[in-house]
Amino acid sequence: MSEQIIWLTPSTPPDPAVLGGKGVGLVRLIGLEAPVPSAFVVTTGAYLDHIRRTGLDERIVAISSGAESVEEQARASQEIEELFLSTPLSPELADGLREAYGRYDDAPVAVRSSATAEDTAEASFAGQQESYLWVRGGDSVVEHVAKVWASLFTPQAIAYRVKNGVDVREVSMAVVVQEMVESSVAGVMLTLNPTTGDASEIYVEATYGLGLGLVSGEVTPDSFGVDRVTLGFRSRAVGSKEKAYRLDPEADEVVLRIVSDEDRAVACVTDDEALAIARMGKSVDERLGSRQDIEWALGPGEPGVRELFLLQTRPETVWSNRVATKRARGATPVDRILAMMQTPMRLHD
Amino acid sequence: MRHDHREFRDPVLGDDAEGAEGWERMYPAYMRFSPENRDDEDATLWFWDSMHHMEALPPFDMISHEAWGVGLGEFNSRIFPVPPAYGIDQRILNGYLYIRPVAVSDVEWIGERARLFAERATYYYENWDDLFEKWKEKMEAVIREVEALEIPDLPRLEDEKIVTGATGVSSGHLLIGAYDKLIESIFLAYQYHFEMLNLAYAAYLNLLTFCKESFPGIKDETIVQMVAGNEILFFRPDDEIKALARLAIELGIHEELTDGADDPQATIARLAGTPEGDQWIARLEAAKEPWFNFSGGTGLYHHERSWVDDLTVPWVALTGYIGKLLAGESIDRPTQEILARRERVTSEYRNLLPNDEERVIFDQNVDLARLVDPYVEDHNFYIENWFHTIFWNKMRDVGDRLVTGGFIEDREDVFMLNRWEVGQALFEMVFGWATGARKRHTPWKAEISDRKRILAALRGWTPPPALGPIPDEISEPFTVLLWGITTDRIKVWLGDGDDDPDALRGVPASPGVREGTARVIRDASQLSEVVQDEILVCPITAPAWGAIFNKIQAAVSDIGGIMSHAAIVSREYGLPAVVGTGNGTTKIKTGDRIRVDGDTGLVTILERA
């Protein structure tokens, strides 16, 4: 049997079939010695072993293959989730998870899906797999791994597979368990401009608390366009940041809080912080040799002195996969000057 | 061009600025809008050339823009034919200059012009450095000629030399000839001005266009960084001041210089006669020629005096540099760093291009822009500073002759007549001197005093940014580069922009963000008011103002683009700058606490004084 739990280190082979996309992204960041919270991965092998050993695979096929209507798909999804939650992990895996988690000394972790096909159509339909933040305790980690597995079978994912005749036994998933950063501010960045594809820009979005609301579209973040070469701002916009996912220390869980008017009116990161984030993005992009889509967080503390962490990176796909349209250009500078002179400037749209 | 449903007021309305009735008399008919030309003049967009001519024009000063108008036009229309565009037309309304690009409409003719442009431009680009060397010789010859030009007095009886030398020519004839030569010289200077400038700007614009296609978010000033960094004359006057500061400390006379900062002439007189003083004064005199022919403004107005005329401005710089040197600070421009940055910025953008084909084109475009850059930077010293300083002062000599003849009260009043009227007055004077009869003077003195009233009234008038209908497109490429006429700009003019009294938008011209106390300076004479670490707020800066950039921490100007002086010097000194805010000097008051964001072009008033 292959390894079921792998700690991510610079020497971990970055195999998406074993670690899933997020796992590979983290290995790459760790390889660059980027500031990444430590993490281990429950491999795709562990998932496959689990569903085969317990017969879950056959039961999932039986439940989902006939689900044609939306109602049936919803029912199937729920039934499969209940199955995952009621089927115990093998003692080896469960003990292994408790032991691995034990190294965090009861600190909170994030338990996140790491699909093998994050950039494919399968992923974009089925890719709503869950992430659980602020998970504490070995038993809870074990339970959340099962929950993440179950999230492979959302109603939409079932619908997609039924329609396209995908055998669910071929679908697999890894789970990343990562030390939690109690972020005061978090966000994403793209190492190009998302609207124009301009590769000379690093585009950063930032919001208060954890980055959850940003991905789900619940908050309008602050945004910054930074020139990749000069590292000066191209644009700066303060977003409305209505809500923030924050830790409630009493309940020991993540809650959604309203952001005060005062905090909403100002950018949630300082200019220097925004530039430091962009610089980090530039460095990751250059060393990996491709445009990246990066999740980041700033730790607790006063603005300006907060520690920067990278939580995730993956290759940017929208612009990077686009075939560049070739521009017709004159052969000599004078030809090009003539072309330019004969392109009038429109004053009306 | 079609009429948009939105348009500015008609050019031909004939309404006067309040209290300025009679302003039309100051300018010739060909410079004014007129009901007879209404069909043509009301049909096009005109915009106020606030960049070059922000003040109401004293009648004589109109010559500066006549000279650029005809020079630019000839080279664009007839010599290096810009395919879809002729020159830039001009009119004066209430003393302010309005301009419009003139389009070529005949498609076949455009094609023919393109073919000729390619041939002719290629010849200049291929021989650029040699042609620029020749250009400098030609330009210096014009300047030397004007400098040597004698404006003769009209004696009661001519000198015997006219007889013994058998010259056969009177002083009256020479005086009229000298004036004609002087007028001819400025028109010649502007021929040279545009001999290479449009081609140079075309090369710049070509790189700009390529970079913006490849990197839509790139800023103009970043593109300029890829090109600038050559040793240029622009900084030479400032460098001379630095050398003088060093020498003063070396000779141990720096305290005398600093103590006498309010009266440079008296200080020089005090120092003269001591060996150290004489040595320093000799160095100063050497620096003056030609480097102090450095205007306190754009150079285009007679009243913007140069360093040679008024040492107060260079003295501000001098004492500033002495202070820095004594404090152990470096006053050198970081030229090596600037060149290193230029190479780094260029190569990093180059690497971001998608393929080698694009890189080849990029390299060609950068090389061409770098080839023309010294001309773009240096022509300004030769013409707007050096030539103009000497030209205006020679006109003051003409003024002196008219004072002697009793035609005007003061030499400066000569600028209250336009160039045709000065010729007319000189002729009248010579005619009277020739015949010995009392001529019936045109009542110039009364007219001049009335014009002073009119000009004062015109200064209080706010010119609308544009006149006439908005066309669908503008096909004159330099209008976009030099005057920054864009769709956005027109929207702002129409009042579509937000009207926040505490925020101004301009062109981000030098990166960085600073907060500080504003100091509003309207002309060079106020420069000594600037206190260390204030933020300069000004209508437009002139090269001579370079001196105070070591005192301020950011700059804001009403007028200008990324190639304006404030922008160039701010980048050189690493200070944030926002230029072209339109009305910074009106909205911001000295003492206000403001924030200058040189990255986004936003200036915010944080706290009112």
Side-chain angles (χ1 to χ4, degrees):
Chain A
M1 200 177 74
S2 60
E3 261 181 299
Q4 299 209 345
I5 292 174
I6 298 178
W7 280 94
L8 303 183
T9 69
S11 56
T12 309
D15 182 354
V18 174
L19 305 176
K22 277 202 188 75
V24 168
L26 283 171
V27 167
R28 297 227 154 94
L29 288 177
I30 290 167
L32 301 178
E33 293 184 352
V36 181
S38 70
F40 62 86
V41 166
V42 183
T43 63
T44 54
Y47 167 80
L48 290 173
D49 176 71
H50 177 68
I51 59 170
R52 283 173 197 153
R53 188 182 51 79
T54 57
L56 264 175
D57 52 352
E58 298 304 331
R59 298 174 70 183
I60 291 168
V61 172
I63 294 167
S64 64
S65 55
E68 297 283 344
S69 71
V70 175
E71 294 76 28
E72 286 167 339
Q73 287 154 2
R75 214 174 313 121
S77 172
Q78 202 181 343
E79 213 173 311
I80 294 169
E81 186 182 2
E82 281 160 12
L83 270 176
F84 268 104
L85 293 181
S86 60
T87 309
L89 276 57
S90 70
E92 296 90 329
L93 181 56
D95 289 346
L97 274 173
R98 285 191 198 94
E99 192 201 314
Y101 173 75
R103 295 206 209 166
Y104 288 122
D105 202 14
D106 213 36
V109 290
V111 182
R112 313 177 71 183
S113 64
S114 181
T116 52
E118 288 203 330
D119 303 326
T120 62
E122 161 86 3
S124 59
F125 279 95
Q128 309 295 332
Q129 297 99 348
E130 288 287 350
S131 276
Y132 295 95
L133 302 183
W134 212 266
V135 175
R136 208 197 279 270
D139 291 341
S140 182
V141 168
V142 170
E143 183 194 333
H144 281 92
V145 166
K147 277 191 175 180
V148 169
W149 283 343
S151 71
L152 255 181
F153 301 95
T154 60
Q156 303 93 303
I158 292 170
Y160 175 82
R161 294 190 193 111
V162 168
K163 186 162 171 271
N164 293 282
V166 179
D167 184 341
V168 295
R169 282 164 295 201
E170 304 288 310
V171 181
S172 183
M173 175 193 254
V175 180
V176 168
V177 179
Q178 186 173 31
E179 186 181 3
M180 198 61 213
V181 175
E182 193 191 327
S183 61
S184 51
V185 176
V188 295
M189 74 176 132
L190 283 167
T191 60
L192 50 69
N193 177 294
T195 48
T196 63
D198 185 343
S200 68
E201 181 167 323
I202 311 282
Y203 178 79
V204 179
E205 286 189 345
T207 195
Y208 290 112
L210 306 169
L212 271 179
L214 232 177
V215 180
S216 62
E218 287 167 275
V219 295
T220 308
D222 299 328
S223 65
F224 305 85
V226 176
D227 187 295
R228 174 197 288 262
V229 179
T230 64
L231 294 170
F233 287 104
R234 285 183 179 177
S235 62
R236 262 200 215 91
V238 175
S240 49
K241 307 182 292 287
E242 299 85 348
K243 303 172 219 165
Y245 284 93
R246 292 190 191 275
L247 170 75
D248 179 342
E250 304 239 318
D252 199 28
E253 65 182 16
V254 173
V255 291
L256 191 57
R257 287 277 158 81
I258 301 291
V259 177
S260 73
D261 289 348
E262 200 178 297
D263 284 348
R264 288 175 54 180
V266 296
C268 63
V269 292
T270 65
D271 284 354
D272 284 346
E273 284 172 334
L275 291 177
I277 293 162
R279 262 199 305 276
M280 180 70 81
K282 173 183 179 176
S283 151
V284 169
D285 167 293
E286 282 175 355
R287 289 193 289 163
L288 294 182
S290 63
R291 308 290 94 91
Q292 299 291 308
D293 178 343
I294 298 169
E295 288 174 36
W296 57 268
L298 294 182
E302 288 301 307
V305 297
R306 302 175 285 203
E307 199 178 348
L308 171 62
F309 296 95
L310 300 188
L311 305 179
Q312 183 53 235
T313 191
R314 63 189 189 100
E316 191 278 341
T317 51
V318 177
W319 289 94
S320 305
N321 293 345
R322 197 172 281 193
V323 181
T325 46
K326 260 204 155 167
R327 287 201 178 85
R329 298 197 196 277
T332 68
V334 170
D335 293 338
R336 297 192 286 274
I337 286 168
L338 275 169
M340 167 197 84
M341 284 180 173
Q342 293 180 78
T343 310
M345 192 194 58
R346 304 282 307 167
L347 291 185
H348 292 288
D349 304 325
Chain B
M1 292 194 191
R2 77 174 165 81
H3 283 253
D4 186 56
H5 60 286
R6 303 192 59 176
E7 53 178 57
F8 299 100
R9 55 158 274 191
D10 278 351
V12 189
L13 279 179
D15 54 345
D16 295 335
E18 212 183 309
E21 291 73 20
W23 66 268
E24 297 93 337
R25 291 201 310 274
M26 302 198 295
Y27 315 103
Y30 62 81
M31 291 302 287
R32 305 191 304 255
F33 292 110
S34 80
E36 292 76 34
N37 295 332
R38 180 164 235 148
D39 282 354
D40 168 39
E41 289 170 345
D42 276 359
T44 58
L45 176 76
W46 296 83
F47 53 92
W48 173 32
D49 181 14
S50 56
M51 186 169 73
H52 300 101
H53 301 281
M54 67 164 316
E55 294 176 41
L57 283 156
F60 189 83
D61 296 19
M62 182 192 72
I63 199 169
S64 299
H65 68 243
E66 282 182 294
W68 76 247
V70 74
L72 182 148
E74 282 160 345
F75 279 86
N76 261 14
S77 302
R78 318 289 170 193
I79 299 175
F80 297 107
V82 172
Y86 291 126
I88 302 216
D89 199 9
Q90 304 179 333
R91 294 289 187 281
I92 294 172
L93 178 67
N94 285 334
Y96 292 85
L97 181 68
Y98 282 82
I99 57 179
R100 64 167 169 184
V102 183
V104 178
S105 50
D106 178 347
V107 177
E108 242 172 78
W109 181 222
I110 290 177
E112 176 68 4
R113 289 169 68 82
R115 193 183 63 74
L116 288 170
F117 179 88
E119 261 176 43
R120 296 177 179 192
T122 302
Y123 178 77
Y124 258 66
Y125 289 139
E126 279 177 356
N127 298 287
W128 191 268
D129 285 340
D130 288 346
L131 294 173
F132 186 27
E133 283 309 309
K134 284 198 187 120
W135 185 94
K136 288 182 200 163
E137 285 166 23
K138 288 185 289 192
M139 199 54 229
E140 215 173 313
V142 181
I143 293 168
R144 297 294 175 206
E145 206 181 330
V146 175
E147 208 169 26
L149 197 61
E150 211 181 311
I151 312 291
D153 279 316
L154 300 179
R156 190 172 183 202
L157 198 64
E158 292 279 17
D159 195 275
E160 199 180 38
K161 274 185 279 182
I162 293 191
V163 179
T164 54
T167 61
V169 176
S170 74
S171 298
H173 184 83
L174 290 175
L175 175 58
I176 287 171
Y179 177 70
D180 289 347
K181 228 184 207 101
L182 191 54
I183 297 303
E184 189 203 312
S185 75
I186 187 170
F187 283 96
L188 181 57
Y190 276 86
Q191 295 283 300
Y192 295 151
H193 191 284
F194 291 100
E195 177 193 350
M196 301 180 84
L197 191 65
N198 297 349
L199 294 176
Y201 276 136
Y204 245 101
L205 205 49
N206 177 49
L207 177 65
L208 218 63
T209 307
F210 176 88
C211 288
K212 289 189 160 182
E213 273 173 21
S214 305
F215 309 108
I218 194 171
K219 289 189 187 173
D220 291 1
E221 75 104 350
T222 308
I223 303 169
V224 174
Q225 271 184 27
M226 296 185 200
V227 178
N230 296 305
E231 260 316 303
I232 54 172
L233 298 184
F234 214 67
F235 292 105
R236 203 41 209 280
D238 200 36
D239 289 347
E240 293 292 322
I241 299 286
K242 288 174 181 169
L244 282 163
R246 285 199 186 89
L247 182 63
I249 293 174
E250 224 177 276
L251 296 170
I253 57 167
H254 52 276
E255 274 172 27
E256 282 95 322
L257 290 171
T258 314
D259 292 345
D262 49 341
D263 192 348
Q265 290 303 349
T267 313
I268 291 171
R270 235 189 349 266
L271 283 169
T274 65
E276 292 83 9
D278 285 341
Q279 191 186 337
W280 191 83
I281 292 165
R283 181 71 187 78
L284 172 69
E285 291 304 317
K288 278 184 179 173
E289 188 50 45
W291 307 113
F292 281 27
N293 289 295
F294 208 40
S295 169
T298 56
L300 304 177
Y301 286 90
H302 76 270
H303 53 74
E304 301 163 328
R305 305 308 298 270
S306 291
W307 286 11
V308 276
D309 304 319
D310 179 2
L311 288 172
T312 322
V313 177
W315 232 260
V316 171
L318 179 72
T319 53
Y321 286 137
I322 289 174
K324 288 212 166 192
L325 284 170
L326 292 177
E329 287 174 48
S330 165
I331 58 171
D332 297 321
R333 270 181 298 113
T335 41
Q336 285 313 309
E337 281 165 45
I338 289 163
L339 276 181
R341 190 180 59 199
R342 152 172 145 168
E343 293 318 312
R344 182 185 69 80
V345 167
T346 310
S347 83
E348 283 196 35
Y349 274 102
R350 186 180 189 279
N351 289 339
L352 288 167
L353 289 167
N355 55 50
D356 284 346
E357 244 167 90
E358 292 283 292
R359 281 182 201 109
V360 169
I361 290 174
F362 175 76
D363 291 345
Q364 287 176 349
N365 291 345
V366 169
D367 288 349
L368 189 66
R370 286 183 182 176
L371 178 70
V372 303
D373 181 65
Y375 181 80
V376 174
E377 309 277 11
D378 288 350
H379 82 277
N380 187 273
F381 179 77
Y382 278 94
I383 298 175
E384 279 87 338
N385 292 284
W386 193 3
F387 174 83
H388 268 278
T389 302
I390 288 166
F391 175 80
W392 295 127
N393 283 337
K394 215 42 105 168
M395 273 307 295
R396 291 188 169 90
D397 290 350
V398 174
D400 285 340
R401 304 300 170 264
L402 288 170
V403 170
T404 310
F407 280 64
I408 59 177
E409 296 281 358
D410 184 279
R411 65 193 320 218
E412 297 292 322
D413 289 350
V414 73
F415 301 110
M416 299 306 286
L417 305 178
N418 70 44
R419 67 174 168 114
W420 307 105
E421 292 168 335
V422 172
Q424 199 180 329
L426 283 172
F427 184 77
E428 276 186 60
M429 187 169 83
V430 170
F431 208 168
W433 174 78
T435 61
R438 261 182 81 113
K439 294 299 289 183
R440 185 192 61 82
H441 290 175
T442 309
W444 295 115
K445 285 183 183 173
E447 176 66 14
I448 286 167
S449 102
D450 196 42
R451 287 183 179 188
K452 287 182 180 170
R453 168 193 68 81
I454 293 172
L455 266 181
L458 292 179
R459 282 194 197 103
W461 185 68
T462 308
L467 306 169
I470 304 162
D472 286 341
E473 56 188 37
I474 288 183
S475 51
E476 202 287 316
F478 303 116
T479 312
V480 182
L481 179 74
L482 294 182
W483 283 277
I485 306 304
T486 61
T487 319
D488 287 344
R489 183 68 68 93
I490 287 182
K491 275 188 189 146
V492 171
W493 286 350
L494 282 166
D496 289 0
D498 57 323
D499 239 9
D500 184 344
D502 292 332
L504 298 100
R505 268 203 180 280
V507 178
S510 180
V513 183
R514 299 278 168 80
E515 286 178 13
T517 309
R519 169 71 60 180
V520 181
I521 293 290
R522 291 186 192 279
D523 61 67
S525 67
Q526 295 175 287
L527 286 178
S528 52
E529 297 167 14
V530 175
V531 177
Q532 189 71 36
D533 291 336
E534 284 185 327
I535 294 176
L536 174 69
V537 181
C538 56
I540 183 169
T541 73
W545 294 32
I548 53 155
F549 277 72
N550 61 43
K551 267 192 172 175
I552 59 174
Q553 57 158 334
V556 177
S557 78
D558 289 352
I559 292 158
I562 50 147
M563 293 299 286
S564 66
H565 174 258
I568 295 173
V569 181
S570 295
R571 287 194 290 272
E572 200 79 20
Y573 281 86
L575 308 175
V578 175
V579 300
T581 56
N583 52 2
T585 54
T586 329
K587 273 191 166 178
I588 302 168
K589 305 277 178 247
T590 292
D592 288 352
R593 198 169 162 71
I594 63 173
R595 179 175 201 264
V596 179
D597 187 336
D599 299 314
T600 56
L602 189 67
V603 180
T604 319
I605 300 166
L606 304 169
E607 206 182 314
R608 291 286 181 181

